[in-house]
Amino acid sequence: MAEARAPGKAILFGEHAVVYGHPAVAVAIKAGVQVAVSVNKEWAVEGRPLDPTRHPHLKSIISRMPRESGTYSFQISSTLFSAAGQGSSAALSVAAHLALRKQIGEISSTIDAAKSAHLAEADAQSGRASPTDTATSALGGCIVVSSSLPPIAKHVFSAELKTSEGLRKWDVGTVDLQDDSNPPSLVLGFTGNSSKTGKMVAMVADLISSNPKKKHDLDSIGEITEVGLIALASSQWEAVGMAMNACHDRLVSLNLSTPHLERLIESVRPYSFGAKLTGAGGGGCMMALTKEPARVAQMIELCGAKAMISPLHNKGAQILG
């Protein structure tokens, strides 16, 4: 048996805009997905035959396995909220890739895992997906994804994807955050309402097609992200929070927030540097950057949501055995 673990992610700035080449900044979070792979007479998940409609990401990962590599069973455990903007499908794809390759005796880098998982995300999302979630889950730390990386980021690899809107290309880089003796924490609040990334990405594409002026909101998110990244790299937490808030306002303009998300965000902002929805929107999660994580988590739970506290610095994917 082989096992691997990959963390989830939180996008600080750049949701949706990254699909169109603008930068996105994300960090790995503490919670994640663990996948164990063992030899089996057929492809299976949790003891049942693998259903491609329920597990399109696994089907896609399997499709890139070497022929004659055998069939296996997946055992999956997760501490992430599912379909909540925490990158659960990306973490699953990254961990499954690494565990499968380990099981068949092949060495796979985290970059290989990120690229394979990105294709799995695209296969499951009607051909549209940025490499943000998968790169963050694989590499850990702070990740920047853009059509052209800012100088502050160290280039790691490039990715591309053919979509109905044309060929999309991205560069993936890392940013080293300064040591801080008292860094803020991330607190994520799950509304309890799932959010389907593919559906929300398609909705934004349709919105822009019917109302081209909405493209300005995506361009604005790109500009905010560049400013926010500089603040993040220099531990200017107040400025990071301002960028988060500004990014959220543009996401609201794109019809990606919900009344419940707005209540959560409003309730925690007095105790946070910044707060915004994170991920695809339309439900799912919000997040806050704060030095009062217990207080923020309490406010989230008082509003009827589930809270999760995570450090700002977390490792990427790992093979466990």
Side-chain angles (χ1 to χ4, degrees):
M1 183 176 70
E3 294 182 85
R5 182 190 182 278
K9 67 87 180 68
I11 297 181
L12 295 176
F13 336 99
E15 290 95 336
H16 289 279
V18 69
V19 177
Y20 299 87
H22 293 295
V25 178
V27 292
I29 60 176
K30 184 177 180 179
V33 175
Q34 188 165 320
V35 176
V37 174
S38 57
V39 177
N40 198 52
K41 63 182 179 180
E42 62 179 346
W43 290 106
V45 180
E46 307 293 342
R48 296 183 179 182
L50 187 149
D51 181 352
T53 61
R54 291 187 60 195
H55 298 286
H57 297 82
L58 293 180
K59 177 187 176 184
S60 181
I61 293 294
I62 291 168
S63 72
R64 283 180 292 284
M65 291 286 291
R67 292 185 178 182
E68 309 299 329
S69 59
T71 54
Y72 302 91
S73 176
F74 297 93
Q75 294 291 325
I76 303 166
S77 60
S78 176
T79 52
L80 296 168
F81 299 132
S82 180
Q86 294 186 328
S88 57
S89 62
L92 169 64
S93 300
V94 169
H97 172 94
L98 290 173
L100 271 174
R101 294 289 173 168
K102 173 68 173 179
Q103 179 64 35
I104 67 172
E106 288 193 355
I107 297 174
S108 178
S109 69
T110 52
I111 294 176
D112 291 335
K115 290 181 175 181
S116 178
H118 178 215
L119 294 176
E121 291 274 87
D123 287 345
Q125 295 175 22
S126 303
R128 297 185 186 94
S130 89
T132 307
D133 289 13
T134 47
T136 307
S137 182
L139 302 177
C142 179
I143 300 299
V144 183
V145 176
S146 178
S147 60
S148 178
L149 287 177
I152 199 171
K154 178 183 178 181
H155 182 271
V156 179
F157 70 92
S158 298
E160 64 179 39
L161 187 67
K162 292 182 179 179
T163 73
S164 57
E165 291 83 23
L167 181 66
R168 303 292 186 194
K169 296 182 178 182
W170 300 270
D171 288 328
V172 176
T174 57
V175 173
D176 293 328
L177 303 184
Q178 291 184 1
D179 290 334
D180 189 326
S181 59
N182 182 30
S185 298
L186 294 175
V187 184
L188 296 106
F190 179 40
T191 61
N193 299 316
S194 62
S195 174
K196 299 296 184 182
T197 300
K199 178 181 177 181
M200 302 310 296
V201 170
M203 187 200 77
V204 171
D206 291 341
L207 178 63
I208 292 172
S209 177
S210 62
N211 184 2
K213 290 184 179 180
K214 287 295 181 181
K215 180 67 164 54
H216 294 309
D217 288 317
L218 294 173
D219 295 338
S220 180
I221 289 173
E223 294 168 0
I224 293 165
T225 299
E226 292 182 5
V227 174
L229 177 60
I230 294 172
L232 180 66
S234 56
S235 301
Q236 299 296 317
W237 305 122
E238 291 84 0
V240 173
M242 291 175 63
M244 290 171 63
N245 293 341
C247 187
H248 178 75
D249 290 343
R250 304 313 187 276
L251 296 171
V252 169
S253 179
L254 291 166
N255 303 326
L256 292 166
S257 191
T258 67
H260 197 181
L261 284 169
E262 291 303 301
R263 287 197 300 274
L264 292 171
I265 290 166
E266 183 180 358
S267 73
V268 304
R269 276 190 172 164
Y271 315 104
S272 308
F273 294 112
K276 59 183 283 294
L277 71 83
T278 183
C285 275
M286 50 70 65
M287 62 175 289
L289 182 70
T290 179
K291 289 193 176 182
E292 299 182 63
R295 181 67 177 271
V296 168
Q298 181 184 48
M299 297 303 298
I300 288 171
E301 291 171 353
L302 286 173
C303 289
K306 297 180 180 179
M308 175 188 294
I309 299 173
S310 175
L312 192 59
H313 301 266
N314 295 280
K315 294 181 179 180
Q318 303 172 69
I319 295 173
L320 304 177

